[in-house]
């Protein structure tokens, strides 16, 4: 339960890699498999004109996309607890050559239109002493495990438009947000004003494959060079691309996310009345933040469960994450330990 | 009253420039005048071993010093309203190649030990996902016009030591802080744990001259190259250096700051009971933030006073700044306009 | 024959990936597989104390290593036709925050001690107007397909020592150089003065896996952060690490390179007397640069052979690359086409 | 004779600074003096529409202009011995966030159209492995003291156009080139295809003032932010601007350069037949590179002359520089020492 990164590879994706290991093809993404992966993404987003670039990690996708959308002296608005602000070692600041992250507070890991606008108003547009507002970046699913509704995204993108910001979405757990909201990929992105998406597959069953997806023609022609010079153009790209194709095939991605979300929900339902485990945020995806006392933590660890913990006001905070292949029996065991604990 | 940057040059400093315009000397700081300016700084700081580098602007001093003290993946703690965070267009992020500013809240423009420590505790030292805490940067005089006491600085530097942070002070208005606290330069810097100082002279009477001052041997040999490659090594350096010498001569700097502070105090005393002008922070230097209604603002502007304003909750916020050459009569006129206003 | 990047995955390596897809483990390289891959590298280099970091691409390895070894104002000496100078879109300049590549001429893709020293003498050490010499980077196998002998490396590293440069080797085709020289890994690296190696496996049979290897304690503690913030810390790292282990197991890497080199040698021997194909450099690895007239090029392409071409003084220049899995029959067909051509 | 940077300030410029020290005005370049300096530049360039930004040093002007004209993954073509390549500590690489300088050989410090085109042809436009050609930068006067004719510039700019490069000119000694060619400022810049000029005044009599001048609307709106965040927006800008106005007033700049050039010519004519001093390049401005034996060097130094020397094939290479205020008698003494030497 530590992370969706600790799981292995979805069998269908592994099979695709194995199948791809026949014959030869062009290196560095000039191959047919890569073209097909881009076409598949286009279809998935309802044939919207888009530019897609396969890439190796989520941090690379986030920082390269934002660097493409923002001038080097831009201000990038994000949630204070977002992955780009707290867990990427300054990747955006580095890749962009000095853009500034503006951390915003917000309940349940989400930015509200009000907070965004209040922060934007403190910047003086056109005044060289100030970093210039350029991008808003949200994550859906958020780092807190919560999910933005399309209405919430639309409200933020309206402000983005008013201030001429580009709108980026970190979709490391995009499939989990789709499943939760019941939206189509388009309904959760370009139809509500999203300009660019870090399309993640690794946390939901791939070996390692992400895509930077730009809608609305907002890629300025620099991304391919940025990807190369930062070392993110895989030489044997077709093994990345084939993962993305398999991920989308027969709705594998949605099936995987549906299972992960369901396991989280099962866990939540099983323990919510126990009193022993408190949930810090609404449970809306496969990521849950909980608070428990040290005794329960010890009991869970004693029973073999592993999860990240950090000090909390009372006891400890524990992050619980389910995945595409989490065993139902494991959840039931977990529930039992919690409910047996007194 | 708009700014201490709008004033001209202190007569003694201008005379030094004129006197320097005789004969020839070595370019790029290899000259005797520059050596003397460094020696003078050493004396002023009680012969503490230090490395001093003359430089052209305060933003350059701040960003180059911090880049020297911090790894490129460092986290730099500063007040949310500090100049480096809000008024230098991302200079630190740029010069350092991606270090991250961590903006802290704090009353009266000051960081407290508690706030600093709470923020530091959220970073995981040695974990590559997180920017690594590297520097704390305060300004004395602060951007709010308030002044840190040596005790306050010492309390912060103790935490800095505990977390192995370097301690930087933005001294764009260092002289005003000295005058306010009655401290010696050493007492307000290295004796209370400051590692590096942006020693400003421009706002207090120079044409344009700053010095980056490193105590405790914490300059790693890179500063001279950083200064050059960022275009801040003046070819005719002696004209910068001579300003610094004249600035320190016969305590000119302290006399200038004493006058500027006194004019602010006079203004404050003259209007504090009027009810028409509220002071946002304690008046401790030559910078005052006030709130007034639009009518008073119009009256003041009608009388020829100029100052920066921004929208405030009620009426407008106005920044008032006195300088080394502010005329007492001007202050008296100002007081009169305020007190006559109803 | 286009590239060793167009080939697939060595069966043993693919099997290792499949086998690894069982159970769960820690993400981001904190797992046992990753530790084992580091230990294996240590053994391979005769138990030399070393720091190894698995990474995703060769460009990432090169640019991150050099950025770790060089100050941001450093001068990095390399061959004019090296991969880092001509084929990585400025990756070193970008990652290092502005270090300068100094391109050197040299026959057969190699730098000579004389050329290096002559170039070094034009730099003024300690003078801030000049980028400061910091690193020499060679590739072995070179971009021309030639191989440095240990004696040649030692001669360069002696000059590096004299000028206090760090010594980096781009080992994208390191195994091919080992096979050609008959040296052990240690004999071609730290025993002759190499400080850091980009240890490549992708071109010689892996899906995508490289390692940054530092000898002599010359990693300063920054690499892990640099890797993360540039997006090169794989979340499911164990699938990278397992490739490296399989690559080293039972000398797979040397067997693969032996085959690739042998196929190149076979091709060379088969056509060298034809007169139709001229070799631009000595054939010493699996990469050959040739010159041919347009008719021969057309004949080869007509027979189904693909290779990169560029305009040459007479006719075209064609790069021919063999790989771990190049079929002997293919080489024989190639030879036949060339010898049949008139 | 060491440098034109060791001289002082032209009296008219110093007087302008003194005169400016009256009253108050807006800080950071929002003042009337700065506006006037921009208008004067416009007039000087025959009322061409242009964007001018005053700035503090030549290195800043060069690197900020090129960073504005080039994408961060661009390739910038320059002479191997140019100031930007050899004497600015990697300023362009740093400011641009990783652009690559491509050093070109060329007689007398000048790039020829052939060399430029041959180098350009090795780049593959649109291929992400390669830095993309973006800017050509020449200096006029060159670092060798030679001067490009308008025809030579036009020939280069034609190639620049063909390859869609922007054309930058480092004009640290622009006035000397004007005087030598007899051209108007427009004839030596935008009329022959120059897009941007580092307009230098410091070496020709100012205290410290440069301007970045963009023709043809090729400034993209980023310069003001780049200048600020790199610390080059002077707070008391009017003291920079007034220097530029005085520099242009009554053709002071051309008079100063005429004198400097004449003193160099006088020196050259006085010693060219001596046999003791050889000139490495044609003497065309105020900068001369000479070769002499050690005895003559000692004799000159013994007579009080100072100049930069470096080892040469036979004896030493000495750089001799005259300035706006070089005394004719000094030149005569110099000539005498040379001619008396045997």
């Amino acid at each position: 339960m530590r992370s969706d990164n600790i799981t292995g590879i979805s069998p269908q994706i592994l099979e695709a890699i194995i199948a791809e290991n026949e014959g030869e093809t062009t290196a560095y993404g000039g191959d047919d498999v890569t073209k097909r992966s881009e076409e598949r993404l286009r279809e998935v987003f309802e044939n919207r004109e888009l530019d897609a670039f396969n890439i190796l990690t989520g941090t690379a996708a986030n920082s390269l996309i934002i660097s493409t959308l923002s001038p080097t002296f831009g201000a990038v608005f994000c949630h204070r607890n977002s992955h780009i602000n707290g867990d990427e070692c300054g990747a955006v600041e580095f890749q962009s050559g000095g853009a500034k992250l503006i951390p915003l507070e917000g309940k349940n890991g989400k930015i509200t239109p009000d907070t965004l606008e209040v922060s934007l108003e403190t910047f003086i547009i056109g005044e060289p002493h100030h970093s210039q507002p350029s991008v808003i970046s949200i994550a859906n699913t958020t780092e807190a495990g919560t999910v933005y509704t399309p209405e919430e995204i639309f409200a933020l993108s309206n402000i983005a438009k008013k201030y001429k910001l580009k709108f980026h979405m970190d979709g490391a757990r995009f499939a989990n947000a789709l499943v939760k909201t019941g939206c189509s990929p388009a309904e959760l992105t370009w139809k509500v004003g999203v300009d660019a998406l870090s399309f993640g597959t690794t946390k939901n069953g791939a070996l390692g494959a992400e895509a930077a997806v730009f809608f609305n023609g907002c890629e300025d022609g620099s991304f391919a060079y940025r990807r190369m010079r930062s070392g993110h153009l895989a030489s044997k790209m077709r093994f990345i691309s084939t993962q993305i194709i398999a991920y989308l095939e027969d709705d594998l991605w949605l099936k995987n996310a549906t299972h992960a979300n369901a396991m989280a929900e099962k866990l939540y339902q099983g323990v919510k009345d126990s009193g022993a485990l408190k949930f810090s945020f609404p449970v809306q995806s496969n990521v849950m933040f909980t608070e428990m006392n040290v005794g329960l933590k010890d009991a869970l660890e004693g029973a073999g469960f592993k999860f990240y913990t950090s000090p909390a006001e009372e006891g400890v905070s524990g992050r619980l994450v389910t995945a595409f292949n989490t065993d139902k029996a494991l959840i039931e065991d977990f529930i039992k330990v919690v409910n047996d604990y007194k």
Side-chain angles (χ1 to χ4, degrees), chain A:
Chain A
M1 318 269 280
R2 251 177 316 176
S3 171
D4 29 17
N5 280 323
I6 62 167
T7 66
I9 311 168
S10 235
Q12 301 90 325
I13 293 174
L14 184 53
E15 274 158 34
I17 292 173
I18 295 167
E20 190 54 41
N21 196 26
E22 302 296 322
E24 304 190 337
T25 183
T26 312
Y28 294 112
D31 57 90
D32 289 343
V33 191
T34 301
K35 280 195 198 73
R36 239 182 310 136
S37 77
E38 291 172 16
E39 277 158 30
R40 286 294 293 125
L41 282 167
R42 213 164 281 130
E43 287 163 27
V44 158
F45 285 97
E46 302 182 16
N47 294 308
R48 180 70 167 190
E49 202 51 53
L50 58 77
D51 298 295
F53 300 86
N54 298 344
I55 200 163
L56 295 163
T57 70
T59 295
N62 288 339
S63 57
L64 282 162
I65 289 174
I66 294 173
S67 302
T68 301
L69 297 180
S70 172
T72 181
F73 47 83
V76 177
F77 297 79
C78 60
H79 193 277
R80 175 196 164 97
N81 296 326
S82 61
H83 205 264
I84 63 167
N85 191 45
D87 299 282
E88 302 188 352
C89 200
V92 170
E93 290 91 339
F94 165 63
Q95 277 287 352
S96 64
K100 190 183 197 62
L101 292 196
I102 308 298
L104 304 177
E105 303 290 337
K107 225 178 123 183
N108 295 333
K110 296 191 207 170
I111 302 170
T112 62
D114 273 5
T115 319
L116 175 61
E117 194 145 20
V118 165
S119 180
L120 274 160
E121 281 167 359
T122 67
F123 286 80
I124 307 181
I125 311 298
E127 218 301 304
H129 282 76
H130 304 280
S131 299
Q132 295 293 298
S134 55
V135 173
I136 172 172
S137 175
I138 67 168
N140 208 16
T141 306
T142 74
E143 198 62 18
T146 53
V147 170
Y148 283 96
T149 64
E151 293 75 22
E152 287 171 330
I153 298 169
F154 191 62
L156 289 172
S157 77
N158 272 339
I159 294 172
K161 276 218 184 68
K162 179 174 157 192
Y163 285 87
K164 302 199 169 116
L165 307 184
K166 296 292 178 194
F167 197 118
H168 167 248
M169 182 184 282
D170 176 353
R173 294 185 183 95
F174 182 56
N176 305 83
L178 290 180
V179 166
K180 173 66 190 173
T181 57
C183 290
S184 76
E187 287 167 356
L188 216 53
T189 55
W190 62 265
K191 288 193 174 171
V192 288
V194 173
D195 292 306
L197 173 71
S198 298
F199 184 82
T201 78
T202 311
K203 289 179 194 293
N204 194 31
L207 188 164
E210 312 279 319
V213 180
F214 292 89
F215 306 106
N216 309 326
C218 67
E219 199 275 312
D220 66 353
S222 71
F223 193 89
Y225 303 101
R226 295 179 185 276
R227 177 174 62 174
M228 175 62 214
R229 71 163 187 162
S230 62
H232 285 101
L233 181 58
S235 55
K236 296 183 175 174
M237 180 66 97
R238 69 185 191 277
F239 292 107
I240 311 301
S241 307
T242 199
Q243 295 180 55
I244 293 174
I245 295 171
Y247 183 72
L248 297 174
E249 196 70 19
D250 290 330
D251 288 341
L252 174 63
W253 62 318
L254 300 177
K255 291 173 191 164
N256 279 358
T258 299
H259 179 78
N261 283 13
M263 290 302 99
E265 182 65 21
K266 182 179 175 63
L267 187 153
Y268 171 68
Q269 294 297 342
V271 303
K272 73 180 160 65
D273 299 326
S274 72
L277 206 60
K278 283 180 202 151
F279 290 80
S280 311
F281 311 113
V283 174
Q284 300 177 336
S285 67
N286 66 323
V287 177
M288 295 158 280
F289 284 84
T290 63
E291 285 185 54
M292 61 190 90
N293 65 30
V294 176
L296 177 53
K297 169 180 161 281
D298 291 345
L300 284 163
E301 290 181 349
F305 293 102
K306 293 178 180 168
F307 45 89
Y308 288 114
T309 57
S310 52
E313 280 188 34
E314 295 175 36
V316 299
S317 167
R319 191 183 74 151
L320 307 174
V321 187
T322 57
F324 73 93
N325 59 358
T326 300
D327 195 342
K328 197 193 276 196
L330 190 82
I331 299 295
E332 286 162 355
D333 289 350
F334 189 97
I335 292 169
K336 192 163 182 315
V337 175
V338 173
N339 287 324
D340 287 356
Y341 180 78
K342 16 194 150 249

